[in-house]
Amino acid sequence: MKYGIVGLAVLLILVALLIGMTLRIRNKYKSLYLGIMLTLTVLSMFNYPYSVPIVWLVSTYIICSVVSSLCIENNKAKLYASLPLLAIIANILIENRRFCEECQWHILQFSSAPAKVVLKEYHGLYNALGTHPDFLYNCGAWMHHNGFYKESLAVLTACTRYYDDYNVELLIADDYKQLGYTEKAVKTFEYANSMVPCRFLPLYYEMQAYEKDDDDNNAYQVAREIQDKPVKIEESSSVRKIKYEAEMLIQRMGIQMSLLPLEFLD
């Protein structure tokens, strides 16, 4: 996603080369290496394993083991046999700083310092962890819940470049709503609703956004949609609350319409 089709092509070529090299070696751990490669490939389709330092460590060890085995088998300098150890040391040195920064981030989540102090700390970590999707989501959510809606919107928008799910879109939409961008908020709530159509929260927040903007007509239409929406599982207390508020809005709008002069109803 980040490097486009060219990045994907380069990655596939490198993976193919690595598999080919692994198949050529006569190492007793060859099956283990291939199994780990397959596991990481499947896991990468559903998650972000390379956001975890230990995965980088294991991958580096496997690559260097395969390369050193080929070098030894081809009677090249046996010095290459130390490649796995050297690579692990280099990997630890490179990842050490990031590890310390991630520790600071996790400590920051439980900080009782004033919100402005914590915000400053998050800004400081952003330069180092700004490509870490979990950090971006956590940071954006914290900013949102502490009223820093403009900052939250910027961070969560950056988060969507790495992963974009229902919860991220809900937070972005609410940031828009709190900042007064009703049209953008409604579009984002609709997008979140299309991600998980069985959920009621996007419609509920959309109704609230219209109410906040005094758009009674659209608020009424969304309330009707909530009332007509089927419940696929047994109603929870939150769903009953949402349906109740939608019903109250419909009744209130009905009373207001009945009080209008006849010329307004024609």
Side-chain angles (χ1 to χ4, degrees), residues 151-180:
E151 293 86 348
S152 172
L153 182 60
V155 172
L156 291 171
T157 301
C159 182
T160 59
R161 293 200 295 266
Y162 302 98
Y163 71 69
D164 188 14
D165 67 1
Y166 170 82
N167 294 315
V168 173
E169 290 299 330
L170 279 186
L171 288 171
I172 289 174
D174 200 53
D175 282 334
Y176 279 133
K177 186 180 80 171
Q178 298 296 337
L179 291 169

Side-chain angles (χ1 to χ4, degrees), residues 34-82:
L34 290 170
I36 293 174
M37 290 178 199
L38 178 61
T39 300
L40 289 175
T41 300
V42 174
L43 186 59
S44 297
M45 295 178 182
F46 305 98
N47 209 323
Y48 301 88
Y50 283 94
S51 62
V52 181
I54 189 63
V55 178
W56 281 101
L57 196 66
V58 171
S59 298
T60 303
Y61 177 80
I62 291 175
I63 292 169
C64 293
S65 294
V66 170
V67 172
S68 64
S69 295
L70 280 176
C71 291
I72 293 171
E73 290 171 12
N74 289 303
N75 296 320
K76 294 190 177 179
K78 292 191 177 183
L79 179 62
Y80 288 111
S82 61

Side-chain angles (χ1 to χ4, degrees), residues 8 20 25 39 46 50 52 86 89 96 104 113 116 140 144 146 158-159 182 187 190 195-196 226 249-250 259:
L8 178 62
I25 64 174
T39 300
F46 305 98
Y50 283 94
V52 181
L86 295 174
I89 294 172
N96 182 59
Q104 293 177 28
K116 289 187 177 180
H144 175 85
N146 284 274
C159 182
T182 304
K187 286 182 179 179
E190 289 175 348
M195 284 180 161
V196 190
I226 290 173
L249 186 143
I250 292 169
L259 294 176

Side-chain angles (χ1 to χ4, degrees), residues 235-254:
E235 286 189 24
S236 65
S237 58
S238 59
V239 171
R240 286 196 295 270
K241 179 178 179 295
I242 290 170
K243 281 186 168 287
Y244 173 77
E245 290 194 23
E247 184 181 354
M248 290 298 99
L249 186 143
I250 292 169
Q251 290 182 5
R252 186 169 67 253
M253 289 292 296

